[in-house]
Amino acid sequence: MKYRNEWKHEISYGDMLDLRRRLSAVAKRDVHTKDGKYLIRSLYFDNASDKALREKTDGVNIREKFRIRLYNNDDSVIHLEKKSKVNGLCLKESADLTKEQAQSLVDGRYDWMMQSGIPLVEELYSKMMSQGLRPKTIIEYTREPFVFAPGNVRVTIDSNIRTGLDSTDFLNPECVTVPAGGAPIILEVKWDEFLPDIIRDIVQLDNCRATAFSKYAACRIYG
């Protein structure tokens, strides 16, 4: 497991069009996209005192959050993910879940987790019991991902960020979501040891500022 560097920038619609054109000339589209995009839906976990939210908004240097995630409403491939951040560096750990396992988390049935044989599931169960983590908020958005092999670079453009309000009906494709208030378009750049100059030059936009924007925090504005 390797921690990665990460930049986030808030960008305009015009910036998005320009980046899409410039990145398409040098980077490859992620092979899992449809027409260059996919829809991401995640269900985030937090506790009654909003531990994950407060650590993010307070800028805690060492923090983590858990989520389950699927793509394009395809429930045949569901991931449990833990995202850790240490002094600005990021690490994502992932494990596959079945549709039934994911639904059990939504329904509040957790007894199976300690016998799952999946270390990440067992860790989540331990923290559900010790910290009170529970399914909290659905977040979905459209992602345009680009990959560039040198530096293991991944550039993504995320737009149409929406929240499921207080619903946790993660596997229901008809679950109502609404736009997250004031959510901008977000450019994310992730890389390992070095960021190639060609990518650095493309993502350095005029009037573009680095940001600590969090989709989870933006989608918690309603509660």
Side-chain angles (χ1 to χ4, degrees):
M1 293 185 293
K2 180 184 293 186
Y3 281 86
R4 283 164 58 80
N5 296 276
E6 180 181 84
W7 280 352
K8 290 185 181 182
H9 299 282
E10 297 182 17
I11 63 174
S12 68
Y13 182 77
D15 291 334
M16 179 180 70
L17 297 179
D18 187 38
L19 280 165
R20 183 186 293 156
R21 175 182 59 81
R22 296 166 68 188
L23 286 166
S24 295
V26 300
K28 295 180 178 180
R29 294 279 186 169
D30 187 297
V31 297
H32 298 103
T33 61
K34 295 180 180 179
D35 298 323
K37 304 176 183 178
Y38 46 66
L39 178 68
I40 294 178
R41 173 176 283 193
S42 300
L43 175 61
Y44 281 77
F45 291 75
D46 212 336
N47 63 14
S49 60
D50 291 326
K51 176 181 182 291
L53 177 63
R54 292 181 182 277
E55 287 181 348
K56 171 60 182 178
T57 57
D58 291 345
V60 175
N61 282 332
I62 301 176
R63 60 182 186 269
E64 65 185 22
K65 57 178 176 277
F66 287 86
R67 66 195 179 204
I68 53 177
R69 172 169 286 189
L70 55 73
Y71 299 86
N72 294 324
N73 291 317
D74 179 6
D75 60 20
S76 67
V77 180
I78 302 172
H79 303 295
L80 168 65
E81 297 180 345
K82 173 188 171 184
K83 188 171 183 181
S84 305
K85 199 153 194 175
V86 177
N87 297 324
L89 297 176
C90 297
L91 173 69
K92 185 172 74 173
E93 302 168 68
S94 180
D96 293 339
L97 296 179
T98 66
K99 178 180 178 180
E100 292 73 24
Q101 289 170 334
Q103 188 63 51
S104 73
L105 289 172
V106 174
D107 294 340
R109 293 181 282 107
Y110 311 131
D111 291 347
W112 62 275
M113 297 177 71
M114 281 306 294
Q115 287 76 45
S116 68
I118 306 172
L120 192 59
V121 170
E122 294 171 2
E123 180 182 352
L124 174 59
Y125 177 79
S126 174
K127 290 176 180 176
M128 292 175 82
M129 297 302 104
S130 63
Q131 299 177 9
L133 296 182
R134 293 294 183 271
K136 192 75 171 185
T137 302
I138 289 174
I139 298 170
E140 65 180 22
Y141 52 92
T142 299
R143 168 162 285 181
E144 296 183 59
F146 298 84
V147 293
F148 190 75
N152 190 23
V153 179
R154 185 173 180 83
V155 181
T156 57
I157 302 170
D158 297 338
S159 60
N160 192 28
I161 302 169
R162 302 175 66 86
T163 173
L165 301 173
D166 60 352
S167 174
T168 59
D169 197 6
F170 173 69
L171 293 177
N172 178 7
E174 304 302 320
C175 174
V176 174
T177 60
V178 301
I185 301 169
I186 297 297
L187 167 69
E188 295 187 8
V189 186
K190 299 182 179 73
W191 71 96
D192 289 344
E193 285 81 10
F194 73 100
L195 181 62
D197 288 343
I198 190 170
I199 299 296
R200 186 184 299 271
D201 291 343
I202 288 174
V203 300
Q204 292 290 350
L205 301 169
D206 293 338
N207 301 315
C208 180
R209 65 183 181 86
T211 178
F213 180 85
S214 164
K215 300 181 190 75
Y216 177 59
C219 290
R220 287 294 310 280
I221 64 171
Y222 301 109

